Amino acid sequence: MKKCLIAAMILAAPLPALADKLEDLKDQGYVRIVIGNEPPYTAVASDGKVSGAAPDVARAVFAAMGITDLEASIAEYGAMIPSLQAGRVDAITAGLFMKPERCNAVAYSQPILCDAEALLLPKGNPKGFQAYGDIAADPAAKLGAPGGGTEEKLALDAGVPRDRLIVVPDPQSGLKMLEDGRLDAYSLPVLSLNDLLKKSGSTALEVFAPVQGAPVYCDGAAFNKNDTALRDAFDVELAKLKESGEFAKIIEPYGFSAAAAMSTSREQLCGE
């Protein structure tokens, strides 16, 4: 009888607090993040050090939470949420913009980085592309975009046929394909394309921004839906970072606006 009573008490007891995940991360000393290696959002230096605006903010916030290091893996955007849901990583810190369907799949922090969509084009924009619909209307035009990313979805929604929407594995490949004439335009957020073009030194290409009709997006650190307590703890320290001015010091050298991130909220962006 006592055994039955003990078993009943165990079953009736509340599950361990989700905050235990934070304690586990503190004990192991690092958090596993996934990034896209897309400067200025994320980058991996030659020595393997992870940087970029999103990981730098995450590093500061997690340090304030008592977690001293980041362990990063690189993935295409379409693979990030499945990795998070499968428990292979603890957070996404990669410029993964908030959209309703993503808000339903992950637990976002409050906004961190905000940006608009852009097109990388031949100098002078000879075909006059200003919107994804312009590319859809040109039966010969081919657009490059990251697989599973925002740009791919916006282009498809604007009517660009799948056979003229080329999945590009990384920014450097997109630039090379455009230079070689295999693409007529390549789409990424404006900051990413500005950084790519600057580092390439190319004088044959230019950036058009913002893409007409495309919304401005903000990202946040994304957590597993089961880890809302961890997300909430992250939000507390993120708010302190914003209020102290350290947030602006981290992201503004990368070209992002702290004011833009602080002018909106997860609730507004996710429609909560």
Side-chain angles (χ1 to χ4, degrees):
M1 189 69 177
K2 286 184 178 180
K3 289 182 179 180
C4 292
L5 180 60
I6 292 171
M9 290 173 64
I10 292 172
L11 290 173
L15 292 172
L18 290 174
D20 287 352
K21 177 66 176 282
L22 176 56
E23 296 306 315
D24 291 343
L25 295 177
K26 286 181 182 179
D27 289 343
Q28 73 180 22
Y30 64 90
V31 58
R32 300 168 301 164
I33 63 169
V34 61
I35 65 171
N37 198 17
E38 182 189 326
Y41 291 91
T42 58
V44 179
S46 58
D47 62 359
K49 180 176 173 59
V50 178
S51 63
D56 284 0
V57 170
R59 182 178 286 110
V61 173
F62 281 122
M65 294 165 65
I67 305 168
T68 56
D69 202 6
L70 303 179
E71 181 182 278
S73 57
I74 299 172
E76 288 190 352
Y77 285 96
M80 290 179 181
I81 290 178
S83 292
L84 182 67
Q85 292 173 328
R88 291 190 289 272
V89 296
D90 304 306
I92 302 170
T93 62
L96 190 71
F97 293 139
M98 296 186 204
K99 298 188 293 184
E101 60 269 28
R102 288 176 177 167
C103 294
N104 290 331
V106 302
Y108 271 111
S109 72
Q110 290 295 336
I112 296 175
L113 307 176
C114 299
D115 201 1
E117 300 299 344
L119 297 172
L120 187 63
L121 302 159
K123 192 77 172 178
N125 192 3
K127 295 192 174 185
F129 293 147
Q130 297 185 3
Y132 295 119
D134 295 337
I135 298 169
D138 183 334
K142 292 184 178 180
L143 172 68
T150 299
E151 298 79 17
E152 181 184 49
K153 185 177 188 306
L154 288 171
L156 290 170
D157 289 347
V160 178
R162 170 54 70 184
D163 63 349
R164 292 198 283 113
L165 183 55
I166 311 303
V167 173
V168 177
D170 56 74
Q172 293 74 25
S173 297
L175 185 142
K176 183 67 165 60
M177 292 169 73
L178 191 59
E179 288 180 326
D180 293 346
R182 288 181 285 162
L183 295 175
D184 297 284
Y186 177 47
S187 186
L188 283 176
V190 60
L191 288 169
S192 298
L193 286 185
N194 282 338
D195 181 81
L196 177 66
L197 186 58
K198 178 181 178 181
K199 289 179 177 176
S200 75
S202 173
T203 58
L205 304 174
E206 67 180 35
V207 175
F208 175 85
V211 175
Q212 293 183 2
V216 174
Y217 291 104
C218 297
D219 85 332
F223 298 87
N224 191 293
K225 279 284 192 178
N226 293 325
D227 293 336
T228 53
L230 179 63
R231 186 275 312 273
D232 292 345
F234 186 96
D235 273 344
V236 168
E237 298 302 333
L238 176 60
K240 293 178 184 177
L241 200 71
K242 290 178 177 179
E243 291 167 7
S244 70
E246 287 302 310
F247 178 72
K249 290 180 181 178
I250 293 172
I251 71 167
E252 291 189 346
Y254 287 104
F256 292 97
S257 167
M262 295 167 71
S263 69
T264 186
S265 68
R266 172 182 62 244
E267 291 74 20
Q268 289 173 300
L269 295 164
C270 288
E272 294 180 1

